[in-house]
Amino acid sequence: AFTVGGDVSVSGTLGNSSAYSAYSFGSLSVASGGTYNATSGTTTITDVYSSPFALNNSGTFTHNGGTLKLTRSGNQDFLGTWTGSSALYNLTIDCGSGTQSIRANMEIEGGLIVKNGNFSTHTDNHNLTVVDLITVNGGTFTTNSSTINCGGIRNAGGTIS
C-alpha cells in the first residue's frame, strides 16, 4: 500500500501502469503536463485540499482499470477534466455525510457505486456517462437536470433524485 495522509500534487509522473496495490491520498491534484497513473486496485481519497475540492485534473489521469473511492464525511468536489483519456474506470462513493459533486462532465468506463453519502452532478448540470451500471446501495444519487447515459441503474436501497 502507498499512503499519503495529506495533499498530493502531481506535476511530473506519479505511479506506473503495472501497479496494483492500494493507494490512499488526502487529496489529488494533477497539474497541466502532469500524469497520474492509477493503480489497477483502488485509489482512495480521504479529504480535501481546499474545501470542498478533493480532486483536480488539469493533466492526465490514467485509470489502468482501477477504482477511485471517495471516503470523506463531508463535501468533496471533482474539478478539471474527467473525460476522454482522463475518464475514470470505476468510481465508489462511500462517505458518511456531505455531497461528492462533479464540476465538469464526467465519463466512467466501468461502473459507479454509491454506497453511502450523496453523489451529485452539481446544480450546474454536468453530464455523466457510465458505461456499466450505476448502483445506489444506501446512498443518494442526485441527477439535477443533467444528462445521464449509462448501461443501467440498480437501486438497491438508496435514493435517486
Side-chain angles (χ1 to χ4, degrees), residues 5 11 20 22 32-33 37 55 57 60 62 82 103 109 138 141-142 152 158:
S11 57
Y20 58 86
S32 178
N37 290 307
L55 294 138
N57 183 35
T60 302
T62 304
W82 301 99
R103 296 283 188 108
E109 294 178 352
F141 176 43
T142 305

Side-chain angles (χ1 to χ4, degrees), residues 5-23:
D7 306 328
V8 173
S9 181
V10 181
S11 57
T13 300
L14 175 63
N16 65 62
S17 61
S18 62
Y20 58 86
S21 65
Y23 291 178

Side-chain angles (χ1 to χ4, degrees), residues 82-157:
W82 301 99
T83 59
S85 62
S86 288
L88 301 177
Y89 188 72
N90 290 315
L91 176 61
T92 299
I93 306 298
D94 192 7
C95 305
S97 64
T99 300
Q100 288 62 42
S101 298
I102 58 174
R103 296 283 188 108
N105 295 338
M106 178 177 278
E107 294 175 13
I108 301 172
E109 294 178 352
L112 167 63
I113 298 173
V114 182
K115 288 184 177 182
N116 195 2
N118 179 23
F119 181 70
S120 173
T121 57
H122 199 267
T123 55
D124 293 337
N125 299 317
H126 301 293
N127 298 331
L128 175 66
T129 300
V130 180
V131 173
D132 203 352
L133 287 175
I134 297 173
T135 302
V136 182
N137 185 10
T140 301
F141 176 43
T142 305
T143 62
N144 298 296
S145 294
S146 300
T147 299
I148 310 295
N149 295 301
C150 63
I153 296 178
R154 179 176 174 250
N155 187 350

